[in-house]
Amino acid sequence: MVEVLMAALVMMGLLMSTNRVVTQGMAASGRAGLRSGLEQEILNDIESIQAIDTMLNAEPALSLACEQGQSNSSDYLAQKIAEQLAVPATSNWERTLNSDNKLLLVVTYDFEVPGRASNNEKRVIELSPSFASSCSLAL
């Protein structure tokens, strides 16, 4: 009888530790899925920004860009991004556009890492407006 009781206790300990490992694995998998989804949203936004930049090379968009008399090409690109691509209200990230450099638009994404308390990450993209060489906006 004592042997059966000891075997049951050992078995219960093994099952509890296995349960804990499985639970931690499931939680980590869930956090990884959330992070992956968040990073995919940011990548989609970056691709949309690149599409806007590419679209500005096409006529008549390029003619409009060159005729606007903007102070620099990164300002013009930032303006077009703000007009055409708003950050979704339900997103867990923020985007900032910095056009201090005339030939370089700096796009910064701030987001909170799922599963980490008060730990924010940033993604910084430096984008040289592709239409800048086609007109005198950059001068």
Side-chain angles (χ1 to χ4, degrees):
M1 183 72 159
V2 173
E3 293 171 353
V4 172
L5 184 59
M6 290 302 286
L9 286 174
V10 169
M11 186 65 115
M12 189 170 86
L14 288 173
L15 289 175
M16 287 175 56
S17 63
T18 303
N19 185 31
R20 184 173 181 172
V21 168
V22 169
T23 303
Q24 288 175 345
M26 289 173 53
S29 176
R31 286 190 304 269
L34 289 174
R35 182 187 181 106
S36 176
L38 183 61
E39 290 192 8
Q40 188 60 47
E41 285 180 32
I42 292 172
L43 286 175
N44 288 341
D45 193 68
I46 292 169
E47 289 176 2
S48 298
I49 288 173
Q50 290 173 330
I52 291 171
D53 181 48
T54 301
M55 183 268 315
L56 290 174
N57 281 314
E59 288 292 337
L62 181 60
S63 298
L64 288 173
C66 292
E67 293 170 4
Q68 290 285 323
Q70 296 288 323
S71 60
N72 63 53
S73 56
S74 61
D75 271 345
Y76 187 75
L77 180 57
Q79 173 189 352
K80 289 300 175 183
I81 292 168
E83 289 173 4
Q84 298 178 20
L85 188 63
V87 175
T90 59
S91 68
N92 294 328
W93 49 271
E94 296 177 9
R95 177 184 63 215
T96 18
L97 304 171
N98 182 344
S99 59
D100 290 342
N101 185 331
K102 291 182 177 188
L103 295 174
L104 192 66
L105 178 65
V106 179
V107 184
T108 306
Y109 294 92
D110 292 310
F111 61 97
E112 188 173 317
V113 179
R116 289 188 191 169
S118 69
N119 191 5
N120 290 351
E121 281 192 21
K122 293 181 185 260
R123 296 287 184 269
V124 179
I125 308 299
E126 295 178 341
L127 181 64
S128 177
S130 59
F131 61 88
S133 62
S134 300
C135 60
S136 61
L137 283 176
L139 300 177

mmCIF file with all atom_site columns, all heavy atoms in Angstrom, residues 62-76:
data_model
loop_
_atom_site.group_PDB
_atom_site.id
_atom_site.type_symbol
_atom_site.label_atom_id
_atom_site.label_alt_id
_atom_site.label_comp_id
_atom_site.label_asym_id
_atom_site.label_entity_id
_atom_site.label_seq_id
_atom_site.pdbx_PDB_ins_code
_atom_site.Cartn_x
_atom_site.Cartn_y
_atom_site.Cartn_z
_atom_site.occupancy
_atom_site.B_iso_or_equiv
_atom_site.pdbx_formal_charge
_atom_site.auth_seq_id
_atom_site.auth_comp_id
_atom_site.auth_asym_id
_atom_site.auth_atom_id
_atom_site.pdbx_PDB_model_num
ATOM 1   N N   . LEU A 1 62 ? 4.664  63.295 -60.370 1.00 0.00 ? 62 LEU A N   1
ATOM 2   C CA  . LEU A 1 62 ? 6.004  63.879 -60.323 1.00 0.00 ? 62 LEU A CA  1
ATOM 3   C C   . LEU A 1 62 ? 5.957  65.343 -60.725 1.00 0.00 ? 62 LEU A C   1
ATOM 4   O O   . LEU A 1 62 ? 6.599  66.185 -60.104 1.00 0.00 ? 62 LEU A O   1
ATOM 5   C CB  . LEU A 1 62 ? 6.967  63.098 -61.222 1.00 0.00 ? 62 LEU A CB  1
ATOM 6   C CG  . LEU A 1 62 ? 8.406  63.595 -61.240 1.00 0.00 ? 62 LEU A CG  1
ATOM 7   C CD1 . LEU A 1 62 ? 9.000  63.541 -59.842 1.00 0.00 ? 62 LEU A CD1 1
ATOM 8   C CD2 . LEU A 1 62 ? 9.232  62.783 -62.204 1.00 0.00 ? 62 LEU A CD2 1
ATOM 9   N N   . SER A 1 63 ? 5.181  65.666 -61.744 1.00 0.00 ? 63 SER A N   1
ATOM 10  C CA  . SER A 1 63 ? 5.048  67.065 -62.160 1.00 0.00 ? 63 SER A CA  1
ATOM 11  C C   . SER A 1 63 ? 4.484  67.900 -61.029 1.00 0.00 ? 63 SER A C   1
ATOM 12  O O   . SER A 1 63 ? 4.945  69.010 -60.768 1.00 0.00 ? 63 SER A O   1
ATOM 13  C CB  . SER A 1 63 ? 4.145  67.173 -63.384 1.00 0.00 ? 63 SER A CB  1
ATOM 14  O OG  . SER A 1 63 ? 4.706  66.482 -64.462 1.00 0.00 ? 63 SER A OG  1
ATOM 15  N N   . LEU A 1 64 ? 3.473  67.380 -60.347 1.00 0.00 ? 64 LEU A N   1
ATOM 16  C CA  . LEU A 1 64 ? 2.892  68.108 -59.220 1.00 0.00 ? 64 LEU A CA  1
ATOM 17  C C   . LEU A 1 64 ? 3.919  68.292 -58.110 1.00 0.00 ? 64 LEU A C   1
ATOM 18  O O   . LEU A 1 64 ? 4.014  69.360 -57.506 1.00 0.00 ? 64 LEU A O   1
ATOM 19  C CB  . LEU A 1 64 ? 1.664  67.373 -58.673 1.00 0.00 ? 64 LEU A CB  1
ATOM 20  C CG  . LEU A 1 64 ? 0.415  67.417 -59.546 1.00 0.00 ? 64 LEU A CG  1
ATOM 21  C CD1 . LEU A 1 64 ? -0.660 66.497 -58.969 1.00 0.00 ? 64 LEU A CD1 1
ATOM 22  C CD2 . LEU A 1 64 ? -0.106 68.838 -59.656 1.00 0.00 ? 64 LEU A CD2 1
ATOM 23  N N   . ALA A 1 65 ? 4.687  67.260 -57.831 1.00 0.00 ? 65 ALA A N   1
ATOM 24  C CA  . ALA A 1 65 ? 5.701  67.344 -56.780 1.00 0.00 ? 65 ALA A CA  1
ATOM 25  C C   . ALA A 1 65 ? 6.740  68.407 -57.121 1.00 0.00 ? 65 ALA A C   1
ATOM 26  O O   . ALA A 1 65 ? 7.157  69.176 -56.261 1.00 0.00 ? 65 ALA A O   1
ATOM 27  C CB  . ALA A 1 65 ? 6.369  65.990 -56.574 1.00 0.00 ? 65 ALA A CB  1
ATOM 28  N N   . CYS A 1 66 ? 7.147  68.458 -58.380 1.00 0.00 ? 66 CYS A N   1
ATOM 29  C CA  . CYS A 1 66 ? 8.174  69.415 -58.786 1.00 0.00 ? 66 CYS A CA  1
ATOM 30  C C   . CYS A 1 66 ? 7.630  70.836 -58.837 1.00 0.00 ? 66 CYS A C   1
ATOM 31  O O   . CYS A 1 66 ? 8.357  71.791 -58.594 1.00 0.00 ? 66 CYS A O   1
ATOM 32  C CB  . CYS A 1 66 ? 8.740  69.021 -60.151 1.00 0.00 ? 66 CYS A CB  1
ATOM 33  S SG  . CYS A 1 66 ? 9.681  67.488 -60.114 1.00 0.00 ? 66 CYS A SG  1
ATOM 34  N N   . GLU A 1 67 ? 6.345  70.998 -59.154 1.00 0.00 ? 67 GLU A N   1
ATOM 35  C CA  . GLU A 1 67 ? 5.756  72.331 -59.292 1.00 0.00 ? 67 GLU A CA  1
ATOM 36  C C   . GLU A 1 67 ? 5.274  72.908 -57.971 1.00 0.00 ? 67 GLU A C   1
ATOM 37  O O   . GLU A 1 67 ? 4.987  74.095 -57.890 1.00 0.00 ? 67 GLU A O   1
ATOM 38  C CB  . GLU A 1 67 ? 4.583  72.279 -60.272 1.00 0.00 ? 67 GLU A CB  1
ATOM 39  C CG  . GLU A 1 67 ? 5.013  71.975 -61.693 1.00 0.00 ? 67 GLU A CG  1
ATOM 40  C CD  . GLU A 1 67 ? 3.834  71.681 -62.600 1.00 0.00 ? 67 GLU A CD  1
ATOM 41  O OE1 . GLU A 1 67 ? 2.681  71.794 -62.144 1.00 0.00 ? 67 GLU A OE1 1
ATOM 42  O OE2 . GLU A 1 67 ? 4.070  71.331 -63.763 1.00 0.00 ? 67 GLU A OE2 1
ATOM 43  N N   . GLN A 1 68 ? 5.155  72.104 -56.940 1.00 0.00 ? 68 GLN A N   1
ATOM 44  C CA  . GLN A 1 68 ? 4.614  72.580 -55.670 1.00 0.00 ? 68 GLN A CA  1
ATOM 45  C C   . GLN A 1 68 ? 5.509  73.622 -55.003 1.00 0.00 ? 68 GLN A C   1
ATOM 46  O O   . GLN A 1 68 ? 5.051  74.376 -54.167 1.00 0.00 ? 68 GLN A O   1
ATOM 47  C CB  . GLN A 1 68 ? 4.390  71.416 -54.695 1.00 0.00 ? 68 GLN A CB  1
ATOM 48  C CG  . GLN A 1 68 ? 3.262  70.492 -55.080 1.00 0.00 ? 68 GLN A CG  1
ATOM 49  C CD  . GLN A 1 68 ? 1.915  71.113 -54.801 1.00 0.00 ? 68 GLN A CD  1
ATOM 50  O OE1 . GLN A 1 68 ? 1.750  71.801 -53.815 1.00 0.00 ? 68 GLN A OE1 1
ATOM 51  N NE2 . GLN A 1 68 ? 0.968  70.872 -55.674 1.00 0.00 ? 68 GLN A NE2 1
ATOM 52  N N   . GLY A 1 69 ? 6.783  73.617 -55.325 1.00 0.00 ? 69 GLY A N   1
ATOM 53  C CA  . GLY A 1 69 ? 7.696  74.566 -54.705 1.00 0.00 ? 69 GLY A CA  1
ATOM 54  C C   . GLY A 1 69 ? 7.942  74.267 -53.232 1.00 0.00 ? 69 GLY A C   1
ATOM 55  O O   . GLY A 1 69 ? 8.189  75.167 -52.439 1.00 0.00 ? 69 GLY A O   1
ATOM 56  N N   . GLN A 1 70 ? 7.872  73.028 -52.866 1.00 0.00 ? 70 GLN A N   1
ATOM 57  C CA  . GLN A 1 70 ? 8.122  72.635 -51.482 1.00 0.00 ? 70 GLN A CA  1
ATOM 58  C C   . GLN A 1 70 ? 9.580  72.917 -51.118 1.00 0.00 ? 70 GLN A C   1
ATOM 59  O O   . GLN A 1 70 ? 10.451 72.965 -51.976 1.00 0.00 ? 70 GLN A O   1
ATOM 60  C CB  . GLN A 1 70 ? 7.844  71.145 -51.290 1.00 0.00 ? 70 GLN A CB  1
ATOM 61  C CG  . GLN A 1 70 ? 6.406  70.742 -51.500 1.00 0.00 ? 70 GLN A CG  1
ATOM 62  C CD  . GLN A 1 70 ? 5.519  71.212 -50.366 1.00 0.00 ? 70 GLN A CD  1
ATOM 63  O OE1 . GLN A 1 70 ? 5.925  71.199 -49.223 1.00 0.00 ? 70 GLN A OE1 1
ATOM 64  N NE2 . GLN A 1 70 ? 4.317  71.627 -50.695 1.00 0.00 ? 70 GLN A NE2 1
ATOM 65  N N   . SER A 1 71 ? 9.842  73.087 -49.841 1.00 0.00 ? 71 SER A N   1
ATOM 66  C CA  . SER A 1 71 ? 11.199 73.401 -49.402 1.00 0.00 ? 71 SER A CA  1
ATOM 67  C C   . SER A 1 71 ? 12.132 72.211 -49.548 1.00 0.00 ? 71 SER A C   1
ATOM 68  O O   . SER A 1 71 ? 13.315 72.379 -49.775 1.00 0.00 ? 71 SER A O   1
ATOM 69  C CB  . SER A 1 71 ? 11.195 73.895 -47.963 1.00 0.00 ? 71 SER A CB  1
ATOM 70  O OG  . SER A 1 71 ? 10.671 72.897 -47.112 1.00 0.00 ? 71 SER A OG  1
ATOM 71  N N   . ASN A 1 72 ? 11.627 71.001 -49.402 1.00 0.00 ? 72 ASN A N   1
ATOM 72  C CA  . ASN A 1 72 ? 12.478 69.832 -49.608 1.00 0.00 ? 72 ASN A CA  1
ATOM 73  C C   . ASN A 1 72 ? 11.628 68.601 -49.911 1.00 0.00 ? 72 ASN A C   1
ATOM 74  O O   . ASN A 1 72 ? 10.435 68.560 -49.637 1.00 0.00 ? 72 ASN A O   1
ATOM 75  C CB  . ASN A 1 72 ? 13.429 69.602 -48.428 1.00 0.00 ? 72 ASN A CB  1
ATOM 76  C CG  . ASN A 1 72 ? 12.717 69.298 -47.128 1.00 0.00 ? 72 ASN A CG  1
ATOM 77  O OD1 . ASN A 1 72 ? 11.888 68.401 -47.080 1.00 0.00 ? 72 ASN A OD1 1
ATOM 78  N ND2 . ASN A 1 72 ? 13.029 70.035 -46.082 1.00 0.00 ? 72 ASN A ND2 1
ATOM 79  N N   . SER A 1 73 ? 12.281 67.607 -50.466 1.00 0.00 ? 73 SER A N   1
ATOM 80  C CA  . SER A 1 73 ? 11.560 66.413 -50.921 1.00 0.00 ? 73 SER A CA  1
ATOM 81  C C   . SER A 1 73 ? 11.046 65.570 -49.762 1.00 0.00 ? 73 SER A C   1
ATOM 82  O O   . SER A 1 73 ? 9.983  64.964 -49.862 1.00 0.00 ? 73 SER A O   1
ATOM 83  C CB  . SER A 1 73 ? 12.449 65.580 -51.840 1.00 0.00 ? 73 SER A CB  1
ATOM 84  O OG  . SER A 1 73 ? 13.644 65.245 -51.188 1.00 0.00 ? 73 SER A OG  1
ATOM 85  N N   . SER A 1 74 ? 11.772 65.523 -48.654 1.00 0.00 ? 74 SER A N   1
ATOM 86  C CA  . SER A 1 74 ? 11.290 64.707 -47.537 1.00 0.00 ? 74 SER A CA  1
ATOM 87  C C   . SER A 1 74 ? 10.041 65.328 -46.907 1.00 0.00 ? 74 SER A C   1
ATOM 88  O O   . SER A 1 74 ? 9.154  64.607 -46.440 1.00 0.00 ? 74 SER A O   1
ATOM 89  C CB  . SER A 1 74 ? 12.387 64.488 -46.498 1.00 0.00 ? 74 SER A CB  1
ATOM 90  O OG  . SER A 1 74 ? 12.820 65.703 -45.951 1.00 0.00 ? 74 SER A OG  1
ATOM 91  N N   . ASP A 1 75 ? 9.936  66.662 -46.900 1.00 0.00 ? 75 ASP A N   1
ATOM 92  C CA  . ASP A 1 75 ? 8.702  67.315 -46.434 1.00 0.00 ? 75 ASP A CA  1
ATOM 93  C C   . ASP A 1 75 ? 7.517  66.926 -47.315 1.00 0.00 ? 75 ASP A C   1
ATOM 94  O O   . ASP A 1 75 ? 6.432  66.637 -46.823 1.00 0.00 ? 75 ASP A O   1
ATOM 95  C CB  . ASP A 1 75 ? 8.846  68.840 -46.467 1.00 0.00 ? 75 ASP A CB  1
ATOM 96  C CG  . ASP A 1 75 ? 9.402  69.414 -45.192 1.00 0.00 ? 75 ASP A CG  1
ATOM 97  O OD1 . ASP A 1 75 ? 9.426  68.703 -44.169 1.00 0.00 ? 75 ASP A OD1 1
ATOM 98  O OD2 . ASP A 1 75 ? 9.817  70.590 -45.224 1.00 0.00 ? 75 ASP A OD2 1
ATOM 99  N N   . TYR A 1 76 ? 7.747  66.963 -48.618 1.00 0.00 ? 76 TYR A N   1
ATOM 100 C CA  . TYR A 1 76 ? 6.664  66.635 -49.552 1.00 0.00 ? 76 TYR A CA  1
ATOM 101 C C   . TYR A 1 76 ? 6.221  65.183 -49.381 1.00 0.00 ? 76 TYR A C   1
ATOM 102 O O   . TYR A 1 76 ? 5.028  64.897 -49.344 1.00 0.00 ? 76 TYR A O   1
ATOM 103 C CB  . TYR A 1 76 ? 7.113  66.901 -50.996 1.00 0.00 ? 76 TYR A CB  1
ATOM 104 C CG  . TYR A 1 76 ? 5.991  66.748 -51.987 1.00 0.00 ? 76 TYR A CG  1
ATOM 105 C CD1 . TYR A 1 76 ? 5.003  67.728 -52.090 1.00 0.00 ? 76 TYR A CD1 1
ATOM 106 C CD2 . TYR A 1 76 ? 5.911  65.638 -52.818 1.00 0.00 ? 76 TYR A CD2 1
ATOM 107 C CE1 . TYR A 1 76 ? 3.966  67.594 -53.000 1.00 0.00 ? 76 TYR A CE1 1
ATOM 108 C CE2 . TYR A 1 76 ? 4.886  65.506 -53.720 1.00 0.00 ? 76 TYR A CE2 1
ATOM 109 C CZ  . TYR A 1 76 ? 3.914  66.482 -53.806 1.00 0.00 ? 76 TYR A CZ  1
ATOM 110 O OH  . TYR A 1 76 ? 2.884  66.345 -54.701 1.00 0.00 ? 76 TYR A OH  1
#
